[in-house]
Amino acid sequence: MTRLFLLLIAVLAAAPPAAAGEGAPPRRIRLKLLSYNVHQGAEASAAVLGRFIQGIGADIVSLQEVPTVQYRDQTARAAGYANVSRYDRGKAIFSRTAIEEEEVLPLPFDRSLIRVTTAVDGVALSIYGVHISWDVDGNQQA
């Protein structure tokens, strides 16, 4: 739940308010997000995981502990996502909208995060996928 919450905060923080008249509320974009640790594929095959993800119907999916590039690709296909980020240290992002830009940003202690940009309803968003440690190193990564 925490990772989903952090991903949601990153998306909301990245969405700029639409240019509007003074006092107008910011433009709202509805997104369904999923963040999921696949535990190296030990709990489900790529096909089973893909069907699970497809059933959720998320617009953006951030996966952690993806065992291989092949597992990532098979899961994305089974879930119905054509837009897939690079594979970096077990992390990947799937998007219903085109991934326009992506980069890997290093973190302390041999960790990283993936940043992708996509446009939803004409608004550019930055999405971050991260898998930090659970210990003191993770505190510094956070």
Side-chain angles (χ1 to χ4, degrees), residues 61-86:
V61 177
S62 175
L63 298 178
Q64 305 86 43
E65 293 190 28
V66 177
T68 64
V69 171
Q70 294 78 16
Y71 188 94
R72 175 205 63 185
D73 293 345
Q74 291 168 357
T75 302
R77 253 190 320 277
Y81 292 86
N83 304 293
V84 179
S85 75
R86 72 180 67 182

Side-chain angles (χ1 to χ4, degrees), residues 7 11 32 50 55 57 94 138:
L7 183 64
V11 170
K32 192 174 208 180
F94 303 165

Side-chain angles (χ1 to χ4, degrees), residues 8-141:
L8 178 60
I9 289 172
V11 170
L12 294 176
E22 190 173 320
R27 181 172 169 206
R28 297 185 191 274
I29 300 170
R30 293 188 62 121
L31 287 175
K32 192 174 208 180
L33 308 171
L34 171 66
S35 179
Y36 192 74
N37 184 323
V38 304
H39 298 117
Q40 298 297 324
E43 296 164 1
S45 67
V48 169
L49 178 61
R51 285 192 303 273
F52 170 76
I53 292 171
Q54 185 179 47
I56 291 173
D59 299 298
I60 306 285
V61 177
S62 175
L63 298 178
Q64 305 86 43
E65 293 190 28
V66 177
T68 64
V69 171
Q70 294 78 16
Y71 188 94
R72 175 205 63 185
D73 293 345
Q74 291 168 357
T75 302
R77 253 190 320 277
Y81 292 86
N83 304 293
V84 179
S85 75
R86 72 180 67 182
Y87 176 86
D88 177 65
R89 299 176 193 183
K91 295 179 301 300
I93 296 174
F94 303 165
S95 177
R96 295 257 179 245
T97 55
I99 293 174
E100 298 171 359
E101 183 181 327
E102 62 183 307
E103 67 180 319
V104 174
L105 302 165
L107 294 174
F109 307 106
D110 200 37
R111 295 287 178 129
S112 63
L113 49 88
I114 299 174
R115 182 185 71 81
V116 301
T117 58
T118 188
V120 177
D121 293 335
V123 175
L125 299 175
S126 289
I127 309 295
Y128 295 84
V130 64
H131 186 222
I132 61 175
S133 298
W134 54 269
D135 54 9
V136 174
D137 290 352
N139 292 342
Q140 293 182 16
Q141 293 158 4

